[in-house]
């Protein structure tokens, strides 16, 4: 099979796919033109209303996304062996895959990061109150929860590659959020954008796990998770600093359009997982409820607790930390400074986490970062916001370092400890649980702050579940690289997966208790 034929076979209906992309671009282009045309009004489009042209452009976008999404799904009865990359792919191709998926994650992380920079301008243009503008992150994060659940499950049903492409198509279509003339229209677009962002994250980790050989794979995934989060935030911050003073908040959505188009154009370098393709020939469908059946129950509870604890700390406690520090008058630290510190610390934190994860212990590293987060919270609970500045700043730095490590670890860890058939579902579940902290974390912390004790009580409140989650990982957590023989009482699901992969001449992927087969886990490219 030639390289050209191989690339073409990755999309079952290429002509239909690119026709849908072109139709979507026409609709998006019309919205871009309307935005440019609003320059005489200071790029304020709140009073324009939804014209017939805008509705027609929206219809073109919907039709284009649907057509392209239909085109990337393998038709029933298609030969699944045509989709994956062939065995013996050289290291240069693996490096290219890592680069493309890292770029996809950075684009993915830019979407929620942009919300922080558009809110002031949006609030001024639409004359929104604090309560009204709070609906924007709530709706967007709710969309990521739903997207993680749907995207993770779709990855196990229609494929990792197809799900990534569909998420990219949704990114393309929802860039028109920048031209919405109503706040309700913006909320709808942000919900859809959130679904795309939530759906891509766990799928990338599943594909990475199945496409890279063991060894340095874990370190690569942890670094990828942490650094793309940092890169996405910094890219959004840089665009905001340069463009918002020139053309207002709306341009941030359209500025990401070229990045999305590049991601779609690079789709030929995202092959399907060979192990997943082999599994598709098996007639048995593994239900999502398998996550909560033995022997997966303990793993699911441990991962859920860890993700939920992070969500409460990040979306709940840290959300209010900048305002509390500024109100105390002690730290003299602005919200922008805190965000900058959190991003800057992600780089060394992720490097250390990757090294520990690879060289020492996966679950041990997770326990260490959970303990670091708890220690920072306990310190803040002890000294309060009125404590000495050195102690306060040290606690804040440790808190950001701990949470940065946790977010870098949870995705790759989840992808590694679950069997291939439910890996996407499990990753989607973990991501959804973590993001759910954005739905009820802020209201909960706001309620606690109004009670006696204020921030001290809030720190204790989030420290408890974090400590419990870290203890659960220590006691019942799985170690992806534990070289233990496959137990006789292993679940039928795991035995079926082993038999399936062996029967298709793809390197065996056992459960997290099994010894990885030489040459790669889960059909990894050697």
């Amino acid at each position: 099979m030639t390289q050209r034929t191989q690339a073409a076979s990755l999309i079952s209906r290429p002509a239909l796919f690119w026709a849908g992309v072109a139709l979507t671009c026409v609709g998006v282009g019309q919205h871009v033109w309307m935005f440019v045309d609003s320059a005489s009004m200071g790029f304020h489009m709140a009073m324009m209303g939804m014209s017939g042209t805008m509705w027609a452009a929206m219809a073109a976008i919907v039709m284009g996304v649907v057509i392209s999404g239909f085109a990337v799904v393998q038709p029933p009865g298609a030969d699944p062996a045509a989709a994956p990359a062939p065995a013996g792919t050289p290291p240069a191709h693996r490096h290219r895959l890592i680069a493309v998926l890292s770029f996809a994650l950075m684009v993915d992380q830019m979407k929620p990061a942009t919300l922080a920079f558009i809110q002031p301008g949006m609030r001024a243009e639409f004359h929104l109150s604090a309560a009204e503008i709070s609906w924007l992150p709530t709706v967007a994060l709710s969309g990521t929860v739903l997207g993680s659940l749907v995207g993770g499950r779709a990855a196990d049903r229609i494929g990792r590659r197809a799900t990534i492409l569909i998420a990219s198509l949704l990114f393309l279509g929802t860039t028109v959020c920048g031209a919405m003339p109503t706040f309700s229209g913006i909320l709808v677009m942000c919900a859809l954008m959130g679904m795309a962002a939530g759906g891509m994250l766990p799928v990338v980790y599943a594909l990475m796990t199945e496409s890279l050989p063991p060894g340095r794979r874990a370190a690569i995934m942890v670094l990828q998770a942490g650094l793309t989060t940092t890169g996405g935030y910094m890219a959004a911050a840089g665009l905001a600093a340069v463009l918002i003073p020139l053309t207002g908040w709306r341009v941030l959505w359209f500025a990401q359009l070229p990045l999305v188009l590049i991601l779609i154009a690079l789709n030929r370098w995202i092959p399907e997982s060979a192990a997943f393709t082999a599994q598709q020939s098996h007639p048995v469908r593994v239900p999502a409820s398998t996550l909560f059946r033995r022997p997966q129950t303990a793993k699911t509870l441990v991962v859920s607790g860890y993700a939920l604890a992070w969500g409460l700390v990040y979306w709940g406690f840290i959300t209010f930390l900048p305002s509390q520090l500024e109100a105390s008058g002690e730290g003299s630290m602005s919200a922008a400074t805190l965000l900058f510190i959190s991003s800057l610390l992600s780089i060394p934190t992720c490097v250390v986490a990757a090294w520990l994860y690879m060289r020492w212990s996966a679950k041990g590293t997770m326990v260490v970062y959970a303990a670091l987060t708890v220690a920072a919270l306990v310190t803040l609970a002890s000294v309060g916001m009125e404590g000495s500045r050195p102690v306060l700043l040290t606690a804040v730095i440790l808190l950001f370092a701990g949470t940065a490590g946790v977010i870098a670890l949870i995705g790759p860890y989840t992808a590694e400890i679950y069997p291939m058939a439910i890996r996407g579902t499990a990753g989607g579940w973990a991501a959804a649980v973590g993001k759910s902290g954005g739905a009820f974390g802020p209201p909960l912390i706001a309620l606690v702050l109004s009670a006696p004790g204020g921030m001290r009580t809030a720190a204790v409140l989030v420290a408890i579940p974090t400590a419990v989650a870290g203890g659960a990982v220590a006691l019942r957590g799985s170690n992806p690289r534990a070289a233990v023989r496959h137990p006789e009482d292993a679940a039928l699901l795991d035995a079926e997966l082993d038999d399936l992969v062996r029967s298709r001449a793809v390197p065996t992927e056992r459960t997290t208790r099994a010894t990885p087969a030489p040459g790669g886990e889960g059909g990894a490219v050697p």
Side-chain angles (χ1 to χ4, degrees):
M1 179 181 295
T2 65
Q3 183 68 27
R4 183 179 299 274
T5 304
Q6 166 65 25
S9 68
L10 291 172
I11 297 178
S12 57
R13 310 172 184 90
L16 195 62
F17 172 78
W18 291 112
V21 170
L23 185 59
T24 304
C25 288
V26 169
V28 173
Q30 182 60 43
H31 283 80
V32 173
W33 173 252
M34 286 185 285
F35 168 74
V36 173
D37 197 45
S38 68
S40 59
M41 300 181 292
F43 298 100
H44 285 197
M45 304 178 68
M47 304 303 295
M48 291 179 61
M50 292 288 289
S51 65
T53 301
M54 182 173 285
W55 281 115
M58 289 293 294
I61 292 171
V62 173
M63 291 177 60
V65 170
V66 171
I67 290 172
S68 295
F70 173 77
V72 301
V73 179
Q74 287 287 330
D79 181 11
T89 301
H93 289 199
R94 294 201 303 268
H95 298 160
R96 188 164 51 201
L97 174 64
I98 294 170
V100 173
L101 292 182
S102 297
F103 179 71
L105 283 180
M106 191 190 74
V107 174
D108 179 84
Q109 295 292 345
M110 286 181 66
K111 300 299 181 178
T114 300
L115 295 176
F117 302 102
I118 67 172
Q119 290 187 52
M122 184 185 300
R123 184 176 179 181
E125 180 173 341
F126 289 101
H127 306 289
L128 302 172
S129 65
E132 290 171 328
I133 196 64
S134 67
W135 278 102
L136 181 67
T138 299
V139 168
L141 288 172
S142 298
T144 62
V145 172
L146 181 59
S148 295
L149 295 173
V150 174
R153 190 58 185 158
D156 290 334
R157 298 299 296 269
I158 65 175
R160 284 75 163 112
R161 169 184 161 79
T163 306
I164 290 173
L165 281 177
I166 290 174
S168 301
L169 293 168
L170 282 175
F171 281 155
L172 176 61
T174 53
T175 54
V176 299
C177 184
M180 289 294 102
T182 64
F183 183 58
S184 58
I186 290 175
L187 291 180
V188 172
M189 288 295 107
C190 281
L192 294 174
M193 193 178 296
M195 289 183 62
M200 180 176 289
L201 195 66
V203 184
V204 168
Y205 296 140
L207 182 56
M208 287 283 291
T209 300
E210 295 159 9
S211 300
L212 300 180
R216 296 183 179 180
R217 176 184 61 201
I220 291 172
M221 291 172 63
V222 173
L223 279 174
Q224 184 186 54
L227 298 183
T228 54
T229 300
T230 303
Y233 173 79
M234 289 186 170
L239 288 174
V242 173
L243 298 179
I244 287 182
L246 299 176
T247 55
W249 62 272
R250 292 179 179 273
V251 73
L252 286 188
W253 296 126
F254 292 123
Q256 298 176 26
L257 179 59
L259 300 178
V260 178
L261 291 173
I262 291 172
L263 177 58
I264 294 175
L266 293 175
N267 82 86
R268 62 176 296 164
W269 308 122
I270 307 177
E272 183 57 272
S273 158
F276 172 82
T277 305
Q279 179 217 328
Q280 287 300 95
S281 64
H282 200 272
V284 177
R285 292 285 188 182
V286 181
S289 59
T290 304
L291 289 179
F292 302 96
R293 297 177 184 172
R294 296 184 62 185
Q296 314 300 333
T297 309
K299 287 189 287 189
T300 301
L301 292 177
V302 168
V303 167
S304 299
Y306 201 80
L308 181 60
W310 171 81
L312 286 174
V313 175
Y314 188 82
W315 299 112
F317 187 82
I318 290 181
T319 298
F320 292 92
L321 188 57
S323 61
Q324 291 294 311
L325 283 170
E326 291 175 355
S328 69
E330 295 290 335
S332 301
M333 183 177 294
S334 66
T337 303
L338 276 176
L339 289 172
F340 176 76
I341 290 176
S342 68
S343 299
L344 193 62
L345 284 176
S346 295
I347 299 174
T349 296
C350 294
V351 172
V352 174
W355 188 86
L356 291 174
Y357 192 99
M358 178 180 66
R359 296 293 185 183
W360 176 46
S361 166
K363 73 174 187 177
T365 305
M366 295 181 69
V367 172
V368 166
Y369 278 90
L372 188 63
T373 303
V374 171
L377 290 169
V378 170
T379 302
L380 290 173
S382 300
V383 303
M385 296 295 103
E386 298 78 21
S388 66
R389 184 175 182 180
V391 175
L392 193 60
L393 294 184
T394 300
V396 171
I397 290 173
L398 289 178
L399 179 62
F400 281 129
T403 53
V406 169
I407 188 58
L409 292 165
I410 184 64
Y413 177 79
T414 304
E416 284 204 298
I417 67 173
Y418 279 91
M420 178 181 58
I422 55 171
R423 180 169 290 139
T425 304
W429 170 260
V433 171
K435 292 296 194 303
S436 67
F440 65 86
L444 177 63
I445 299 301
L447 181 63
V448 173
L449 290 177
S450 63
M455 206 62 175
R456 292 174 183 251
T457 304
V460 173
L461 179 67
V462 296
I464 293 174
T466 306
V468 172
V473 173
L475 295 175
R476 299 298 302 273
S478 302
N479 196 337
R481 285 166 300 286
V484 181
R485 290 186 177 275
H486 193 60
E488 295 181 359
D489 60 344
L492 178 61
L493 169 65
D494 299 324
E496 287 176 347
L497 292 176
D498 285 345
D499 292 338
L500 168 63
V501 177
R502 280 197 300 270
S503 68
R504 292 301 299 266
V506 179
T508 301
E509 175 190 359
R510 296 190 183 275
T511 64
T512 57
R513 301 180 182 178
T515 304
E521 179 185 15
V525 178

